[in-house]
Amino acid sequence: MHVLFLSPEVWPFSHVGGLSEVSHDLPLALGRAGHQVAVITPGLNINGNSSEGLKKLDIVLDVPVSYSVQRANVYLREMGKGVNAYLIGHENMFDRDGLYGNQFGDYEDNAERFVFFSRACLELAKAMDWKVDIVHANDWTTGLVPLYMRTIYKDTACLRKAASVFTVHNIGKQGVFWHYDMPLTGLGWECFTPELIEFYGKINFLKAGLVAADMITTVSDTYLRDILTQDLGFGLEGVLNSRRDRLVAITNGVDFSVWDPATDKHLAANYDAANLENKKICQTDVRRHFGLDMEGSRPVLAVLGNLLERKGTDLVAGSADEIIQMGFDLVVMGFGDNHYHDLLDAAVKRHPQNMGLWLGFETELAHKIIAGADMILMPSRYEPCGLHQMHGMRYGTVPIVRRTGGLADTVADFDQSADGNGFVFDQYSSEAMLAALSRAKDVFAAPDRWRDLILRGMNSDFSWNSAVVNYDQVYRRALELRNNVEEAPRHD
């Protein structure tokens, strides 16, 4: 099948969260399975570091936005077998410090920016005259695309027989804008209804994808159940339940050609399950980088990712002193709310030999930390899937997680399951998190039990192989349904 894979962030062109890695790995896995995949993403700061290997195409897209036409350049880069990346370049829209916003918050013109991107994706399909089978849109930034396919682009030759698949990676981010932005979309006011994109008097881009897509996927079984509830549906649980027959969970995977301690070029030393001694060299490298006690024998506990409340950063920042007092050395890398930056920085100043902090994200350093740590802590309030717990297990780094979303689906508690590969706690509290850390530290003190736990994780299969088979089935089901779906209102 010819698949258009639309994502706001794709590694290495842009990175904010796990969507970037998924949008790189999944298309490559689809390509290896025999599909032809065109990945389309914004060209963020197109002349920066991500421009290596890009070829500017000899086409210019005329993209309608409201009553004007914006012109976009297109850049191409081959990603792998059967997979090409197309970057949409526009100076005013995408030559900015951040993808969604900067240190002052989200950009005020995000509605216009992602209307532009969504329509540019479909205009590119027209310009290239692709015969498209599947349009796979991801998260709120591309939520309008399935609705566009039913309305404005309904009679576009290359898209006429295409089916749409919409993946929800994080339902907490929905792209909600005031109704005065409706003209930007190009859709008629007949689409501004509770059945389509109206949401408490505003426009909801994510809702557009949910109501218009032929099939909907999300990224883990537990998260699927979560978002059908009032607690974690964020106001869209009714829409999701009404389309339950179109909703499928497919757990994300990990690209083991990138995440493999035996071949990882970022590491101070390589190792595998048969030779774990070199993991100690990786830990020494991490201790040196963060200025930790080089003679220390305390277990190194890592926290990576966005420093936000939903990631449990309030628990980590509020318990940093207790974690150090328990006998851990703590390493944190990420970026998020300034409040947490300040709390963590203050904790480092109190414990300079036992705690390190890196504000930002660097791919090489992330690999080094995951290889050098003994454990990785993910105390998320909610977590659609999570990737670092799977990275950690591959690298012999034991995950300690809260039982939510994809963390619940990939980590089994060592004390409660014969197949346990980590430590799990239920209650969202510092007390429950610290109790799980205490259990992990007790097992760490028993080398034979700890080695057994490490090997269970390293031998787990979290590759994309099964996920690709499931996506193939979803694509085929979407195509079957396409001819029988009740049409949304046309745009005249």
Side-chain angles (χ1 to χ4, degrees), residues 96-324:
R96 305 190 182 191
D97 293 336
L99 177 58
Y100 309 111
N102 54 26
Q103 68 269 31
F104 302 109
D106 290 345
Y107 294 127
E108 293 183 355
D109 61 343
N110 272 351
E112 180 180 11
R113 296 174 70 230
F114 289 105
V115 165
F116 164 78
F117 173 63
S118 296
R119 297 200 65 171
C121 292
L122 299 178
E123 292 294 333
L124 177 60
K126 287 171 58 178
M128 301 295 285
D129 194 28
W130 287 322
K131 297 298 184 263
V132 181
D133 296 300
I134 297 291
V135 177
H136 187 162
N138 292 271
D139 267 356
W140 73 264
T141 50
T142 59
L144 290 175
V145 170
L147 186 56
Y148 282 147
M149 292 172 64
R150 300 275 194 90
T151 54
I152 298 174
Y153 293 86
K154 184 178 186 299
D155 296 322
T156 301
C158 67
L159 299 169
R160 188 175 294 125
K161 295 183 179 180
S164 60
V165 174
F166 184 59
T167 297
V168 179
H169 296 267
N170 179 7
I171 204 168
K173 299 290 186 180
Q174 298 183 4
V176 178
F177 303 98
W178 68 347
H179 68 281
Y180 290 110
D181 284 330
M182 190 67 186
L184 292 173
T185 68
L187 296 165
W189 282 99
E190 70 274 11
C191 291
F192 189 73
T193 67
E195 292 73 30
L196 290 173
I197 65 173
E198 187 271 336
F199 185 74
Y200 296 100
K202 296 182 178 181
I203 305 167
N204 188 317
F205 283 27
L206 187 79
K207 183 180 178 183
L210 296 180
V211 300
D214 295 301
M215 287 292 291
I216 307 163
T217 72
T218 193
V219 291
S220 70
D221 290 317
T222 300
Y223 191 59
L224 185 152
R225 294 191 293 271
D226 289 344
I227 62 178
L228 293 173
T229 68
Q230 189 173 1
D231 287 342
L232 290 175
F234 290 90
L236 291 176
E237 62 276 2
V239 176
L240 288 163
N241 276 285
S242 72
R243 305 212 72 202
R244 181 65 183 85
D245 62 324
R246 305 294 182 97
L247 179 58
V248 175
I250 303 175
T251 302
N252 287 333
V254 172
D255 187 342
F256 286 155
S257 68
V258 175
W259 291 95
D260 183 354
T263 59
D264 193 332
K265 296 180 180 179
H266 299 306
L267 306 187
N270 293 116
Y271 61 94
D272 57 24
N275 173 27
L276 289 171
E277 287 301 311
N278 281 353
K279 187 172 171 65
K280 296 177 182 178
I281 299 175
C282 295
Q283 183 162 122
T284 299
D285 187 40
V286 169
R287 288 185 177 278
R288 183 182 299 109
H289 187 278
F290 284 95
L292 302 181
D293 181 7
M294 296 300 294
E295 303 299 324
S297 59
R298 297 153 57 104
V300 174
L301 177 67
V303 175
L304 289 87
N306 295 324
L307 301 179
L308 305 170
E309 181 182 355
R310 80 168 185 87
K311 291 288 191 178
T313 310
D314 54 327
L315 301 185
V316 176
S319 304
D321 292 333
E322 288 87 343
I323 292 171
I324 301 301

Side-chain angles (χ1 to χ4, degrees), residues 24 66 82 205 229 265 272 279 287 343-344 351 378 426 432:
H24 171 270
S66 187
F205 283 27
T229 68
K265 296 180 180 179
D272 57 24
K279 187 172 171 65
R287 288 185 177 278
L343 288 176
L344 292 166
H351 308 283
M378 300 178 69
D426 290 285

